[in-house]
Structure formats: C-alpha cells, structure tokens
Amino acid sequence: MAVVGEIFLERETANDEDGVVVAVHVDSGQAVKSGQPLFDVEHSKATMEVCASVDGFVLHELAKGTSVTFGSRIACVVDAIDAHGSAPPSPAGASQQAKAPLEAARISSGDKPSVGTAAASSSPAGGRRPKLSRAAAKLADQFGLTGADFMVDLVSTADVRKKIGAGRTSAQTLPGRREAAPPLTVEALSNVGLAERISPRKSEEISLLQTGAGNTTQSTLGVRIGKIRSRREAGDTFQGKILDLVVFEASRLMKQFPKLNSAFSENQIFKYSSINAGVAFDSGAKLVVYGIENSNAKSLREIREEIEDSLDRYLSDRLSLREMTRATFTVTDLSASQMEFVLPILPARQSCIIGVTRNSKEEFSTYVGFDHRVTEGREVALFLDQLADRIASFDRQTMATEPARCFFCETSAGDGLNDDKRGLLKIVRPGGDEVLCCNTCWLGW
C-alpha cells in the first residue's frame, strides 16, 4: 500500500485564510476516480469544489462544518485499503505518510512538512515513530534531539524551536537567530491595546524570512520628497531640517495605518491605543529615543517646543525612564550630513522607524524600516507616499502665506538682487513641478 495522491486546499482568494466544509461527497475509505468531487468548501467569495487528483481510496477526517486552512493538506489517496475501510499495515521501510495518512489533516499550513523530505527519527517507547521535516531534523540534530523527544507524530521546525526554548537559558540563542525582545505585557506598556493573532499564511511567511539568506524580518522602503525650503532662522534648532514636520505629519497618519503603531510578540500583533512619536537622540555617547506622548493630538509648534526641551534634558542627562520607553514608533533625523540612503534599525517593541536624509542636491528623502511580521511592503509604500505628499503640501501652503522666493537661493522678490522689479520667473523642473527662479540664478545657468 502506498500514498498515490495528496489533496491540498488551494487558495482562491487573498482575503481569506480559512474556509468551512459545507458538503462531504465521499466517505473516508471509499474508492474514487480522478476528477471526482470530494468536498465543497465555502469562503467569503464563493463555494469551491475539491476533487480527487488520482484514482484510489480517499482517506480524510472532514465533516460538514469543519474549518480548514488554505494551503493545508486535507486528504490523501492510497492505492489499497482493507475490508474494514482502513489502510492495512505497511511492510518494513514503507513511507511514514502511508502508515499515518490522516496526520496531514491535523497540520496547519505553517507546519506541514514537504512531501518526500521527511527523515525518520528513532522510535520512542510504544513503537511510535515521529517524522521530522528536513529542516526540523537538521535543527534538532544540532541540539541532540530525536523523535523520541516529541509528542507529535509530524515534527516541524516550530516544534523543535519550542522544545529548545523550553530547555535553554536566557543566554543561549538558536543558530542564526537574534535573541527576541522580551514578551509584551500590559504592565510593561500601559497603552497596549487588543492583541491580534497572526494568520497561518503570515506564520509561514515569517518562517521563510527567518530561515532565508537575510535571516531577518525587517524590511526598508524609501521615497524622495524633494527640496523643502528651510523655514528656520539662522541658529534655530531645526534650521535646514524637517524633523518636526515629519513627526507632526507621521503622527497624524498613524490612525490610518495602525499596524505601523504596533508591536509583535508571542506570535501576536499588539496595537497601541495611543500614538507616541519617538525622536532619536545620539550625541555620540548614548542613543536614546524620547517619546512624545499623544503626538497626533499636538500642533506643529507644540511638537517643536517639546523636541527642543527634551533635547536639552537629554544633553544634561535628565530624561526619565518612562520618557525613553513610551514611544510607539520612531523618527531618526540624519539630514545634518549629506547621504543618499539609510537603513534604520527597529527599536524593541516597535514596528516602524522613519529615517530622514538629505542628499547633495539639498533634497530630502524618508525611509521606513518596518517589521514584516506585522505589516506588508504595499501598506508601507502607501504610508510613505501620503507622508511625502503631506510634507510637500505643508511647504506649499507655507509658501502661499510668505513673500515669493527663489526656489534655488531663497532670495525674495523684494531683495536687492531683484531691484529691477522684474520679479521671479516661473519655470518647470524636469520632474514637472513648477518653481520660482530669480534673475541671478537664471543667468547663472
């Protein structure tokens, strides 16, 4: 007897992780033909029909009302069955999947081993022979574990990591993995909201990221904002910078992108109930992140004043522990030096950090480092687009209430260079945006 076919629940919609069996057309152990309908599974968009892929005898544990996960193995087809409707004993050396063909129906998509890649472990007491996927077997071998150490019949890497974690000290880490931040608790952060358990699909994606070449779950995306006029007087803390504006606009956007104002812990996403923008300070001796409490409810002027005050207290080492641990996302300003790119690293218990840079053309860019376990690149790209548009829009509004100035040298129409009263030229830049140009800059070209 051998397994001749496996039946997986294929994904038909990106919106659903699970479906519900609404009809079972064939009992377990019954002979089936290739293409014969076996089950009907309903999801949010429609009802899908699951059919046999080969001729044989189907084995399953499904009933009407059973919840099934897309991507999981829900049944298998064998080439023989005994008179009692169950698979007969297999000869020595037969596939473990043939001995226990229904194991797959109890495995979620994030834990299922690859077909034909399992490696048998030593037999525990009672004759039970657990199977380990290749990845699980390799990891288990590094820690001296065998199949006898597990109480499940099909062992995944998650099972191995759980077993290792239960027996290791806090100083030990898994091969190729960084020690995770301590689990989030309500006592640790009072503004932690309700937890959202991640889906099986997301669990599988996280596993792939952690075992890939990069061995990381952080990604980074960036966007060029362009030139934003310096709205500061000489000697001002924010002269030539847009840190305050980024904090102001990003805080207001967080209500639309709550996953960027969240944290990942214990396979769950914790969404913060308040928005506290963190500002990174680093004088070269100590990097800290000061949290502006309820930053989304504060005006630009209030944010500027609080940043200036906290910077003074940071330099005199007077910030409290609570002020340095309450941020729910962070902004780090690197625009004091000219650079083209930054890869901002996420602080503990956050899923978003925004880096601000300025290149040689005096144009600003923003980069978002984000936790891929919490959100997706598409959502971060949308956030960046809206943030850049808000910053540019704010600058345009400010220009409308001030004297017209040259985009390149910021000379106003009333300055000495324009005493001939010719005013400013309106020109179109290569990107299509219209700007003002003084006579001196125009002739200088």
mmCIF file with all atom_site columns, all heavy atoms in Angstrom, residues 3-26:
data_model
loop_
_atom_site.group_PDB
_atom_site.id
_atom_site.type_symbol
_atom_site.label_atom_id
_atom_site.label_alt_id
_atom_site.label_comp_id
_atom_site.label_asym_id
_atom_site.label_entity_id
_atom_site.label_seq_id
_atom_site.pdbx_PDB_ins_code
_atom_site.Cartn_x
_atom_site.Cartn_y
_atom_site.Cartn_z
_atom_site.occupancy
_atom_site.B_iso_or_equiv
_atom_site.pdbx_formal_charge
_atom_site.auth_seq_id
_atom_site.auth_comp_id
_atom_site.auth_asym_id
_atom_site.auth_atom_id
_atom_site.pdbx_PDB_model_num
ATOM 1   N N   . VAL A 1 3  ? 0.777   5.800  -0.635 1.00 0.00 ? 3  VAL A N   1
ATOM 2   C CA  . VAL A 1 3  ? 0.056   7.044  -0.925 1.00 0.00 ? 3  VAL A CA  1
ATOM 3   C C   . VAL A 1 3  ? 0.328   7.414  -2.377 1.00 0.00 ? 3  VAL A C   1
ATOM 4   O O   . VAL A 1 3  ? 1.475   7.568  -2.784 1.00 0.00 ? 3  VAL A O   1
ATOM 5   C CB  . VAL A 1 3  ? 0.512   8.181  0.009  1.00 0.00 ? 3  VAL A CB  1
ATOM 6   C CG1 . VAL A 1 3  ? -0.169  9.490  -0.387 1.00 0.00 ? 3  VAL A CG1 1
ATOM 7   C CG2 . VAL A 1 3  ? 0.202   7.844  1.454  1.00 0.00 ? 3  VAL A CG2 1
ATOM 8   N N   . VAL A 1 4  ? -0.735  7.553  -3.168 1.00 0.00 ? 4  VAL A N   1
ATOM 9   C CA  . VAL A 1 4  ? -0.578  7.869  -4.582 1.00 0.00 ? 4  VAL A CA  1
ATOM 10  C C   . VAL A 1 4  ? -0.990  9.299  -4.915 1.00 0.00 ? 4  VAL A C   1
ATOM 11  O O   . VAL A 1 4  ? -0.772  9.761  -6.032 1.00 0.00 ? 4  VAL A O   1
ATOM 12  C CB  . VAL A 1 4  ? -1.378  6.875  -5.450 1.00 0.00 ? 4  VAL A CB  1
ATOM 13  C CG1 . VAL A 1 4  ? -0.809  5.466  -5.317 1.00 0.00 ? 4  VAL A CG1 1
ATOM 14  C CG2 . VAL A 1 4  ? -2.868  6.881  -5.075 1.00 0.00 ? 4  VAL A CG2 1
ATOM 15  N N   . GLY A 1 5  ? -1.608  9.962  -3.977 1.00 0.00 ? 5  GLY A N   1
ATOM 16  C CA  . GLY A 1 5  ? -2.021  11.339 -4.225 1.00 0.00 ? 5  GLY A CA  1
ATOM 17  C C   . GLY A 1 5  ? -2.341  12.066 -2.938 1.00 0.00 ? 5  GLY A C   1
ATOM 18  O O   . GLY A 1 5  ? -2.802  11.462 -1.967 1.00 0.00 ? 5  GLY A O   1
ATOM 19  N N   . GLU A 1 6  ? -2.067  13.371 -2.912 1.00 0.00 ? 6  GLU A N   1
ATOM 20  C CA  . GLU A 1 6  ? -2.381  14.208 -1.754 1.00 0.00 ? 6  GLU A CA  1
ATOM 21  C C   . GLU A 1 6  ? -3.271  15.347 -2.204 1.00 0.00 ? 6  GLU A C   1
ATOM 22  O O   . GLU A 1 6  ? -3.109  15.873 -3.309 1.00 0.00 ? 6  GLU A O   1
ATOM 23  C CB  . GLU A 1 6  ? -1.104  14.757 -1.124 1.00 0.00 ? 6  GLU A CB  1
ATOM 24  C CG  . GLU A 1 6  ? -0.229  13.663 -0.543 1.00 0.00 ? 6  GLU A CG  1
ATOM 25  C CD  . GLU A 1 6  ? 1.128   14.209 -0.142 1.00 0.00 ? 6  GLU A CD  1
ATOM 26  O OE1 . GLU A 1 6  ? 1.831   14.719 -1.038 1.00 0.00 ? 6  GLU A OE1 1
ATOM 27  O OE2 . GLU A 1 6  ? 1.466   14.127 1.045  1.00 0.00 ? 6  GLU A OE2 1
ATOM 28  N N   . ILE A 1 7  ? -4.203  15.725 -1.363 1.00 0.00 ? 7  ILE A N   1
ATOM 29  C CA  . ILE A 1 7  ? -5.185  16.751 -1.726 1.00 0.00 ? 7  ILE A CA  1
ATOM 30  C C   . ILE A 1 7  ? -4.994  17.955 -0.820 1.00 0.00 ? 7  ILE A C   1
ATOM 31  O O   . ILE A 1 7  ? -5.171  17.864 0.398  1.00 0.00 ? 7  ILE A O   1
ATOM 32  C CB  . ILE A 1 7  ? -6.616  16.204 -1.616 1.00 0.00 ? 7  ILE A CB  1
ATOM 33  C CG1 . ILE A 1 7  ? -6.780  15.005 -2.553 1.00 0.00 ? 7  ILE A CG1 1
ATOM 34  C CG2 . ILE A 1 7  ? -7.632  17.288 -1.944 1.00 0.00 ? 7  ILE A CG2 1
ATOM 35  C CD1 . ILE A 1 7  ? -8.037  14.213 -2.314 1.00 0.00 ? 7  ILE A CD1 1
ATOM 36  N N   . PHE A 1 8  ? -4.608  19.077 -1.419 1.00 0.00 ? 8  PHE A N   1
ATOM 37  C CA  . PHE A 1 8  ? -4.418  20.324 -0.694 1.00 0.00 ? 8  PHE A CA  1
ATOM 38  C C   . PHE A 1 8  ? -5.572  21.279 -0.988 1.00 0.00 ? 8  PHE A C   1
ATOM 39  O O   . PHE A 1 8  ? -6.149  21.245 -2.078 1.00 0.00 ? 8  PHE A O   1
ATOM 40  C CB  . PHE A 1 8  ? -3.104  20.986 -1.108 1.00 0.00 ? 8  PHE A CB  1
ATOM 41  C CG  . PHE A 1 8  ? -1.882  20.248 -0.644 1.00 0.00 ? 8  PHE A CG  1
ATOM 42  C CD1 . PHE A 1 8  ? -1.350  19.213 -1.400 1.00 0.00 ? 8  PHE A CD1 1
ATOM 43  C CD2 . PHE A 1 8  ? -1.263  20.583 0.552  1.00 0.00 ? 8  PHE A CD2 1
ATOM 44  C CE1 . PHE A 1 8  ? -0.225  18.537 -0.982 1.00 0.00 ? 8  PHE A CE1 1
ATOM 45  C CE2 . PHE A 1 8  ? -0.139  19.914 0.979  1.00 0.00 ? 8  PHE A CE2 1
ATOM 46  C CZ  . PHE A 1 8  ? 0.388   18.882 0.220  1.00 0.00 ? 8  PHE A CZ  1
ATOM 47  N N   . LEU A 1 9  ? -5.887  22.109 -0.029 1.00 0.00 ? 9  LEU A N   1
ATOM 48  C CA  . LEU A 1 9  ? -6.919  23.123 -0.235 1.00 0.00 ? 9  LEU A CA  1
ATOM 49  C C   . LEU A 1 9  ? -6.255  24.331 -0.877 1.00 0.00 ? 9  LEU A C   1
ATOM 50  O O   . LEU A 1 9  ? -5.564  25.103 -0.210 1.00 0.00 ? 9  LEU A O   1
ATOM 51  C CB  . LEU A 1 9  ? -7.565  23.507 1.100  1.00 0.00 ? 9  LEU A CB  1
ATOM 52  C CG  . LEU A 1 9  ? -8.739  24.493 1.017  1.00 0.00 ? 9  LEU A CG  1
ATOM 53  C CD1 . LEU A 1 9  ? -9.886  23.903 0.205  1.00 0.00 ? 9  LEU A CD1 1
ATOM 54  C CD2 . LEU A 1 9  ? -9.219  24.885 2.401  1.00 0.00 ? 9  LEU A CD2 1
ATOM 55  N N   . GLU A 1 10 ? -6.444  24.481 -2.176 1.00 0.00 ? 10 GLU A N   1
ATOM 56  C CA  . GLU A 1 10 ? -5.802  25.557 -2.919 1.00 0.00 ? 10 GLU A CA  1
ATOM 57  C C   . GLU A 1 10 ? -6.438  26.908 -2.599 1.00 0.00 ? 10 GLU A C   1
ATOM 58  O O   . GLU A 1 10 ? -7.659  27.017 -2.459 1.00 0.00 ? 10 GLU A O   1
ATOM 59  C CB  . GLU A 1 10 ? -5.896  25.297 -4.424 1.00 0.00 ? 10 GLU A CB  1
ATOM 60  C CG  . GLU A 1 10 ? -5.254  23.985 -4.879 1.00 0.00 ? 10 GLU A CG  1
ATOM 61  C CD  . GLU A 1 10 ? -3.760  23.966 -4.644 1.00 0.00 ? 10 GLU A CD  1
ATOM 62  O OE1 . GLU A 1 10 ? -3.162  25.058 -4.578 1.00 0.00 ? 10 GLU A OE1 1
ATOM 63  O OE2 . GLU A 1 10 ? -3.191  22.863 -4.513 1.00 0.00 ? 10 GLU A OE2 1
ATOM 64  N N   . ARG A 1 11 ? -5.593  27.948 -2.499 1.00 0.00 ? 11 ARG A N   1
ATOM 65  C CA  . ARG A 1 11 ? -6.093  29.295 -2.214 1.00 0.00 ? 11 ARG A CA  1
ATOM 66  C C   . ARG A 1 11 ? -6.773  29.881 -3.452 1.00 0.00 ? 11 ARG A C   1
ATOM 67  O O   . ARG A 1 11 ? -6.218  29.875 -4.539 1.00 0.00 ? 11 ARG A O   1
ATOM 68  C CB  . ARG A 1 11 ? -4.939  30.198 -1.782 1.00 0.00 ? 11 ARG A CB  1
ATOM 69  C CG  . ARG A 1 11 ? -5.351  31.639 -1.508 1.00 0.00 ? 11 ARG A CG  1
ATOM 70  C CD  . ARG A 1 11 ? -4.149  32.446 -1.050 1.00 0.00 ? 11 ARG A CD  1
ATOM 71  N NE  . ARG A 1 11 ? -3.666  31.977 0.230  1.00 0.00 ? 11 ARG A NE  1
ATOM 72  C CZ  . ARG A 1 11 ? -4.194  32.321 1.393  1.00 0.00 ? 11 ARG A CZ  1
ATOM 73  N NH1 . ARG A 1 11 ? -5.229  33.148 1.424  1.00 0.00 ? 11 ARG A NH1 1
ATOM 74  N NH2 . ARG A 1 11 ? -3.697  31.868 2.508  1.00 0.00 ? 11 ARG A NH2 1
ATOM 75  N N   . GLU A 1 12 ? -7.986  30.410 -3.263 1.00 0.00 ? 12 GLU A N   1
ATOM 76  C CA  . GLU A 1 12 ? -8.709  31.051 -4.356 1.00 0.00 ? 12 GLU A CA  1
ATOM 77  C C   . GLU A 1 12 ? -8.915  32.533 -4.112 1.00 0.00 ? 12 GLU A C   1
ATOM 78  O O   . GLU A 1 12 ? -9.324  33.253 -5.010 1.00 0.00 ? 12 GLU A O   1
ATOM 79  C CB  . GLU A 1 12 ? -10.080 30.380 -4.546 1.00 0.00 ? 12 GLU A CB  1
ATOM 80  C CG  . GLU A 1 12 ? -10.014 29.029 -5.243 1.00 0.00 ? 12 GLU A CG  1
ATOM 81  C CD  . GLU A 1 12 ? -11.364 28.605 -5.790 1.00 0.00 ? 12 GLU A CD  1
ATOM 82  O OE1 . GLU A 1 12 ? -12.379 29.221 -5.420 1.00 0.00 ? 12 GLU A OE1 1
ATOM 83  O OE2 . GLU A 1 12 ? -11.398 27.667 -6.602 1.00 0.00 ? 12 GLU A OE2 1
ATOM 84  N N   . THR A 1 13 ? -8.662  32.997 -2.880 1.00 0.00 ? 13 THR A N   1
ATOM 85  C CA  . THR A 1 13 ? -8.869  34.403 -2.560 1.00 0.00 ? 13 THR A CA  1
ATOM 86  C C   . THR A 1 13 ? -7.777  34.872 -1.625 1.00 0.00 ? 13 THR A C   1
ATOM 87  O O   . THR A 1 13 ? -7.350  34.131 -0.731 1.00 0.00 ? 13 THR A O   1
ATOM 88  C CB  . THR A 1 13 ? -10.244 34.638 -1.902 1.00 0.00 ? 13 THR A CB  1
ATOM 89  O OG1 . THR A 1 13 ? -10.299 35.974 -1.383 1.00 0.00 ? 13 THR A OG1 1
ATOM 90  C CG2 . THR A 1 13 ? -10.489 33.653 -0.767 1.00 0.00 ? 13 THR A CG2 1
ATOM 91  N N   . ALA A 1 14 ? -7.307  36.094 -1.837 1.00 0.00 ? 14 ALA A N   1
ATOM 92  C CA  . ALA A 1 14 ? -6.260  36.653 -0.976 1.00 0.00 ? 14 ALA A CA  1
ATOM 93  C C   . ALA A 1 14 ? -6.824  37.178 0.331  1.00 0.00 ? 14 ALA A C   1
ATOM 94  O O   . ALA A 1 14 ? -6.082  37.493 1.258  1.00 0.00 ? 14 ALA A O   1
ATOM 95  C CB  . ALA A 1 14 ? -5.536  37.779 -1.721 1.00 0.00 ? 14 ALA A CB  1
ATOM 96  N N   . ASN A 1 15 ? -8.150  37.268 0.430  1.00 0.00 ? 15 ASN A N   1
ATOM 97  C CA  . ASN A 1 15 ? -8.776  37.861 1.608  1.00 0.00 ? 15 ASN A CA  1
ATOM 98  C C   . ASN A 1 15 ? -9.033  36.864 2.727  1.00 0.00 ? 15 ASN A C   1
ATOM 99  O O   . ASN A 1 15 ? -9.310  37.252 3.853  1.00 0.00 ? 15 ASN A O   1
ATOM 100 C CB  . ASN A 1 15 ? -10.109 38.520 1.221  1.00 0.00 ? 15 ASN A CB  1
ATOM 101 C CG  . ASN A 1 15 ? -9.928  39.620 0.204  1.00 0.00 ? 15 ASN A CG  1
ATOM 102 O OD1 . ASN A 1 15 ? -8.964  40.363 0.272  1.00 0.00 ? 15 ASN A OD1 1
ATOM 103 N ND2 . ASN A 1 15 ? -10.839 39.716 -0.747 1.00 0.00 ? 15 ASN A ND2 1
ATOM 104 N N   . ASP A 1 16 ? -9.022  35.563 2.425  1.00 0.00 ? 16 ASP A N   1
ATOM 105 C CA  . ASP A 1 16 ? -9.370  34.557 3.417  1.00 0.00 ? 16 ASP A CA  1
ATOM 106 C C   . ASP A 1 16 ? -8.187  33.663 3.745  1.00 0.00 ? 16 ASP A C   1
ATOM 107 O O   . ASP A 1 16 ? -7.388  33.326 2.871  1.00 0.00 ? 16 ASP A O   1
ATOM 108 C CB  . ASP A 1 16 ? -10.526 33.687 2.909  1.00 0.00 ? 16 ASP A CB  1
ATOM 109 C CG  . ASP A 1 16 ? -11.799 34.480 2.699  1.00 0.00 ? 16 ASP A CG  1
ATOM 110 O OD1 . ASP A 1 16 ? -12.131 35.277 3.584  1.00 0.00 ? 16 ASP A OD1 1
ATOM 111 O OD2 . ASP A 1 16 ? -12.440 34.296 1.657  1.00 0.00 ? 16 ASP A OD2 1
ATOM 112 N N   . GLU A 1 17 ? -8.089  33.286 5.005  1.00 0.00 ? 17 GLU A N   1
ATOM 113 C CA  . GLU A 1 17 ? -7.092  32.317 5.435  1.00 0.00 ? 17 GLU A CA  1
ATOM 114 C C   . GLU A 1 17 ? -7.720  30.945 5.648  1.00 0.00 ? 17 GLU A C   1
ATOM 115 O O   . GLU A 1 17 ? -7.028  29.934 5.575  1.00 0.00 ? 17 GLU A O   1
ATOM 116 C CB  . GLU A 1 17 ? -6.440  32.776 6.755  1.00 0.00 ? 17 GLU A CB  1
ATOM 117 C CG  . GLU A 1 17 ? -5.741  34.114 6.665  1.00 0.00 ? 17 GLU A CG  1
ATOM 118 C CD  . GLU A 1 17 ? -4.601  34.115 5.680  1.00 0.00 ? 17 GLU A CD  1
ATOM 119 O OE1 . GLU A 1 17 ? -4.064  33.032 5.412  1.00 0.00 ? 17 GLU A OE1 1
ATOM 120 O OE2 . GLU A 1 17 ? -4.253  35.191 5.166  1.00 0.00 ? 17 GLU A OE2 1
ATOM 121 N N   . ASP A 1 18 ? -9.020  30.914 5.927  1.00 0.00 ? 18 ASP A N   1
ATOM 122 C CA  . ASP A 1 18 ? -9.706  29.665 6.227  1.00 0.00 ? 18 ASP A CA  1
ATOM 123 C C   . ASP A 1 18 ? -11.023 29.569 5.472  1.00 0.00 ? 18 ASP A C   1
ATOM 124 O O   . ASP A 1 18 ? -11.581 30.583 5.041  1.00 0.00 ? 18 ASP A O   1
ATOM 125 C CB  . ASP A 1 18 ? -9.981  29.538 7.733  1.00 0.00 ? 18 ASP A CB  1
ATOM 126 C CG  . ASP A 1 18 ? -8.724  29.653 8.561  1.00 0.00 ? 18 ASP A CG  1
ATOM 127 O OD1 . ASP A 1 18 ? -8.014  28.649 8.674  1.00 0.00 ? 18 ASP A OD1 1
ATOM 128 O OD2 . ASP A 1 18 ? -8.465  30.751 9.070  1.00 0.00 ? 18 ASP A OD2 1
ATOM 129 N N   . GLY A 1 19 ? -11.490 28.336 5.309  1.00 0.00 ? 19 GLY A N   1
ATOM 130 C CA  . GLY A 1 19 ? -12.804 28.069 4.730  1.00 0.00 ? 19 GLY A CA  1
ATOM 131 C C   . GLY A 1 19 ? -13.551 27.071 5.603  1.00 0.00 ? 19 GLY A C   1
ATOM 132 O O   . GLY A 1 19 ? -13.004 26.540 6.580  1.00 0.00 ? 19 GLY A O   1
ATOM 133 N N   . VAL A 1 20 ? -14.794 26.806 5.240  1.00 0.00 ? 20 VAL A N   1
ATOM 134 C CA  . VAL A 1 20 ? -15.624 25.870 6.011  1.00 0.00 ? 20 VAL A CA  1
ATOM 135 C C   . VAL A 1 20 ? -16.167 24.802 5.070  1.00 0.00 ? 20 VAL A C   1
ATOM 136 O O   . VAL A 1 20 ? -16.674 25.112 3.984  1.00 0.00 ? 20 VAL A O   1
ATOM 137 C CB  . VAL A 1 20 ? -16.796 26.599 6.705  1.00 0.00 ? 20 VAL A CB  1
ATOM 138 C CG1 . VAL A 1 20 ? -17.686 25.598 7.435  1.00 0.00 ? 20 VAL A CG1 1
ATOM 139 C CG2 . VAL A 1 20 ? -16.274 27.640 7.679  1.00 0.00 ? 20 VAL A CG2 1
ATOM 140 N N   . VAL A 1 21 ? -16.039 23.545 5.471  1.00 0.00 ? 21 VAL A N   1
ATOM 141 C CA  . VAL A 1 21 ? -16.576 22.442 4.676  1.00 0.00 ? 21 VAL A CA  1
ATOM 142 C C   . VAL A 1 21 ? -18.103 22.473 4.782  1.00 0.00 ? 21 VAL A C   1
ATOM 143 O O   . VAL A 1 21 ? -18.661 22.381 5.874  1.00 0.00 ? 21 VAL A O   1
ATOM 144 C CB  . VAL A 1 21 ? -16.044 21.087 5.180  1.00 0.00 ? 21 VAL A CB  1
ATOM 145 C CG1 . VAL A 1 21 ? -16.669 19.947 4.392  1.00 0.00 ? 21 VAL A CG1 1
ATOM 146 C CG2 . VAL A 1 21 ? -14.525 21.040 5.068  1.00 0.00 ? 21 VAL A CG2 1
ATOM 147 N N   . VAL A 1 22 ? -18.777 22.623 3.647  1.00 0.00 ? 22 VAL A N   1
ATOM 148 C CA  . VAL A 1 22 ? -20.246 22.680 3.643  1.00 0.00 ? 22 VAL A CA  1
ATOM 149 C C   . VAL A 1 22 ? -20.860 21.398 3.080  1.00 0.00 ? 22 VAL A C   1
ATOM 150 O O   . VAL A 1 22 ? -22.078 21.196 3.184  1.00 0.00 ? 22 VAL A O   1
ATOM 151 C CB  . VAL A 1 22 ? -20.740 23.901 2.852  1.00 0.00 ? 22 VAL A CB  1
ATOM 152 C CG1 . VAL A 1 22 ? -20.345 25.197 3.552  1.00 0.00 ? 22 VAL A CG1 1
ATOM 153 C CG2 . VAL A 1 22 ? -20.214 23.892 1.417  1.00 0.00 ? 22 VAL A CG2 1
ATOM 154 N N   . ALA A 1 23 ? -20.036 20.540 2.480  1.00 0.00 ? 23 ALA A N   1
ATOM 155 C CA  . ALA A 1 23 ? -20.549 19.271 1.960  1.00 0.00 ? 23 ALA A CA  1
ATOM 156 C C   . ALA A 1 23 ? -19.412 18.263 1.834  1.00 0.00 ? 23 ALA A C   1
ATOM 157 O O   . ALA A 1 23 ? -18.309 18.622 1.423  1.00 0.00 ? 23 ALA A O   1
ATOM 158 C CB  . ALA A 1 23 ? -21.225 19.458 0.603  1.00 0.00 ? 23 ALA A CB  1
ATOM 159 N N   . VAL A 1 24 ? -19.682 17.005 2.229  1.00 0.00 ? 24 VAL A N   1
ATOM 160 C CA  . VAL A 1 24 ? -18.734 15.902 2.069  1.00 0.00 ? 24 VAL A CA  1
ATOM 161 C C   . VAL A 1 24 ? -19.398 14.868 1.173  1.00 0.00 ? 24 VAL A C   1
ATOM 162 O O   . VAL A 1 24 ? -20.389 14.248 1.548  1.00 0.00 ? 24 VAL A O   1
ATOM 163 C CB  . VAL A 1 24 ? -18.364 15.277 3.431  1.00 0.00 ? 24 VAL A CB  1
ATOM 164 C CG1 . VAL A 1 24 ? -17.423 14.089 3.229  1.00 0.00 ? 24 VAL A CG1 1
ATOM 165 C CG2 . VAL A 1 24 ? -17.720 16.321 4.345  1.00 0.00 ? 24 VAL A CG2 1
ATOM 166 N N   . HIS A 1 25 ? -18.870 14.695 -0.027 1.00 0.00 ? 25 HIS A N   1
ATOM 167 C CA  . HIS A 1 25 ? -19.496 13.808 -1.012 1.00 0.00 ? 25 HIS A CA  1
ATOM 168 C C   . HIS A 1 25 ? -18.992 12.368 -0.931 1.00 0.00 ? 25 HIS A C   1
ATOM 169 O O   . HIS A 1 25 ? -19.673 11.459 -1.411 1.00 0.00 ? 25 HIS A O   1
ATOM 170 C CB  . HIS A 1 25 ? -19.239 14.342 -2.426 1.00 0.00 ? 25 HIS A CB  1
ATOM 171 C CG  . HIS A 1 25 ? -19.732 15.743 -2.643 1.00 0.00 ? 25 HIS A CG  1
ATOM 172 N ND1 . HIS A 1 25 ? -21.060 16.086 -2.527 1.00 0.00 ? 25 HIS A ND1 1
ATOM 173 C CD2 . HIS A 1 25 ? -19.065 16.894 -2.967 1.00 0.00 ? 25 HIS A CD2 1
ATOM 174 C CE1 . HIS A 1 25 ? -21.198 17.388 -2.775 1.00 0.00 ? 25 HIS A CE1 1
ATOM 175 N NE2 . HIS A 1 25 ? -20.001 17.899 -3.042 1.00 0.00 ? 25 HIS A NE2 1
ATOM 176 N N   . VAL A 1 26 ? -17.841 12.157 -0.319 1.00 0.00 ? 26 VAL A N   1
ATOM 177 C CA  . VAL A 1 26 ? -17.244 10.822 -0.281 1.00 0.00 ? 26 VAL A CA  1
ATOM 178 C C   . VAL A 1 26 ? -16.760 10.519 1.129  1.00 0.00 ? 26 VAL A C   1
ATOM 179 O O   . VAL A 1 26 ? -16.043 11.318 1.728  1.00 0.00 ? 26 VAL A O   1
ATOM 180 C CB  . VAL A 1 26 ? -16.055 10.722 -1.273 1.00 0.00 ? 26 VAL A CB  1
ATOM 181 C CG1 . VAL A 1 26 ? -15.403 9.342  -1.191 1.00 0.00 ? 26 VAL A CG1 1
ATOM 182 C CG2 . VAL A 1 26 ? -16.513 11.016 -2.690 1.00 0.00 ? 26 VAL A CG2 1
#
